[in-house]
Amino acid sequence: MKKISLVTRLLAAATAAVVVAGTVALPAAAAATSKPSVQEHLDRLTMADGFAGAVLQVRDARGRSRTYTSGTAARGTGRPMVGGDARMRAASMTKPVVAAAVLDQVARGKLDLDEKVETYLPGLLDGRQVTVRQLLQHTSGLPEYLDTIDWAKPGTPEEQLKPALAKKPIGEPGEKWSYSNTNYLVAGMLLGDDFRKVVESRILRPYGLKRTYWPAEGEMAIRGEHARNYGVSPADPKGGVADITEMPGHAFGAAGGLVSTPADLNAFWQRLPSSTLKTMASGTVPADAPYGHYGLGVARVATSCGGTVWMHDGGLPGVSVLSGRDRAGRAATVYVTGAADTPAKNAHLLAAFDSAFC
């Protein structure tokens, strides 16, 4: 029997986290007879649901921020939960950032959304007629790659992609929406041999996201101030909840590798050019909850107070994050440390996010 590495198990769990997070739609989660405050929502996450810590930062259209915290940054220490400038793993909130970088290349005439990927990377997809738009929209039909590789030796993106292409496609290109991290593995490859430098030079630095970074190869820790992450280790599912803060962030790549902060993610949404956000929000397709409708790296969801939010979520063992902005320009990011492993917990996390806009 082939030995499954710890990294492989962690990445498989990351995929599962996305599926779990999609079990509750935002409006249903947020709807309630009474309207708890943002702080009350966070306190429910840590006091009733068992998350170690929770933080939510909301930033209005004029750039004024307010941060709410609950719980602890490290169990057993009494240290209060970190604030909006502390770092956390962005997980799949990496995808909107990568999508913005791809659209930057489109605006510069280097890529075309409706051109085939094979035009730019001949032979990469074994002849599949997948367009750039379908990658960003999760309508390519490409199967998931995270569970096909020994991530202890992840290899190049091309080597990571190859075993996934041997699997049965989810569907024909453009046939239906189906979340697959493989789409953003390929999207990163469209940005060039070093997509990390492209994202840094075209998005992170121009947008002023000074605390956001790509982990180096082999780097396991999170730099600077951060909360500890707690969850059930995929390598020891019967061992109970443990500290799993150290993870192979570099291996998550363009699909989920960024480390960021709530403040930086809020700034990303607000500094995203209106023309770019308009393109990302165009041509949405029906998608699984919590997304509602999915565009190019962003989802459109309705709030409990009748508004619209453009957002994305992210999940890795030990951390869950939701981040987005509304039509008025208000941005909010919430994340928790712990395992969001039940529909009720996910509903409460979504309700906390909703409360920032309502």
Side-chain angles (χ1 to χ4, degrees):
M1 179 180 294
K2 181 179 178 181
K3 183 178 180 181
I4 301 177
S5 71
L6 169 60
V7 184
T8 301
R9 293 174 186 265
L10 287 172
L11 285 165
T15 306
V18 172
V19 176
V20 171
T23 58
V24 182
L26 180 57
T33 303
S34 59
K35 290 281 186 178
S37 68
V38 174
Q39 188 63 54
E40 288 171 331
H41 277 292
L42 290 192
D43 289 343
R44 178 170 62 178
L45 291 168
T46 59
M47 296 178 183
D49 293 338
F51 291 107
V55 56
L56 185 151
Q57 186 183 87
V58 58
R59 174 171 163 154
D60 68 20
R62 297 172 62 182
R64 297 173 301 186
S65 297
R66 183 170 181 179
T67 302
Y68 304 83
T69 65
S70 184
T72 181
R75 283 180 173 158
T77 66
R79 183 160 64 95
M81 183 58 175
V82 296
D85 288 325
R87 291 188 173 109
M88 47 79 170
R89 297 193 188 278
S92 283
M93 247 310 294
T94 301
K95 290 180 174 68
V97 180
V98 170
V102 171
L103 292 176
D104 173 75
Q105 299 300 295
V106 170
R108 298 172 71 196
K110 296 188 175 184
L111 295 172
D112 187 312
L113 280 173
D114 296 310
E115 188 58 78
K116 304 293 190 296
V117 173
E118 292 267 321
T119 300
Y120 305 110
L121 301 169
L124 180 71
L125 300 182
D126 295 339
R128 289 175 173 83
Q129 300 300 294
V130 174
T131 66
V132 177
R133 183 186 303 275
Q134 289 164 350
L135 288 179
L136 301 185
Q137 195 180 55
H138 291 295
T139 56
S140 70
L142 293 175
E144 182 59 60
Y145 84 103
L146 292 184
D147 58 355
T148 62
I149 300 172
D150 181 357
W151 285 87
K153 299 179 180 179
T156 66
E158 290 83 358
E159 291 168 337
Q160 296 170 6
L161 177 64
K162 187 175 180 180
L165 296 181
K167 299 167 64 176
K168 182 180 178 180
I170 298 170
E172 293 298 319
E175 178 184 351
K176 61 182 179 180
W177 183 90
S178 184
Y179 195 99
S180 173
N181 288 285
T182 309
N183 290 308
Y184 280 78
L185 171 70
V186 177
M189 295 163 71
L190 283 172
L191 294 176
D193 292 336
D194 196 338
F195 66 86
R196 293 175 178 85
K197 287 184 178 179
V198 174
V199 171
E200 184 175 353
S201 65
R202 301 300 303 177
I203 304 297
L204 303 186
R205 287 206 297 266
Y207 289 23
L209 310 186
K210 297 180 180 179
R211 295 178 182 270
T212 302
Y213 69 91
W214 293 105
E217 188 170 2
E219 185 175 13
M220 299 289 285
I222 300 174
R223 303 173 197 170
E225 184 184 17
H226 61 277
R228 305 301 296 179
N229 298 342
Y230 302 93
V232 177
S233 171
D236 186 17
K238 296 183 180 180
V241 174
D243 186 325
I244 52 174
T245 307
E246 279 68 43
M247 297 183 72
H250 183 273
F252 303 149
L258 278 176
V259 173
S260 190
T261 71
D264 269 10
L265 293 180
N266 288 341
F268 164 76
W269 290 115
Q270 293 186 327
R271 293 169 186 172
L272 193 65
S274 58
S275 58
T276 303
L277 182 58
K278 183 178 180 179
T279 301
M280 295 172 78
S282 66
T284 60
V285 296
D288 296 341
Y291 298 129
H293 288 77
Y294 200 95
L296 307 182
V298 297
R300 185 185 76 218
V301 298
T303 65
S304 64
C305 49
T308 297
V309 172
W310 295 101
M311 55 80 72
H312 212 283
D313 71 336
L316 285 168
V319 63
S320 298
V321 57
L322 295 167
S323 183
R325 59 159 289 175
D326 64 12
R327 294 185 186 277
R330 179 189 298 137
T333 299
V334 60
Y335 79 92
V336 292
T337 54
D341 53 4
T342 69
K345 289 183 180 182
N346 280 293
H348 295 165
L349 178 58
L350 288 160
F353 181 65
D354 179 88
S355 71
F357 297 98
C358 293

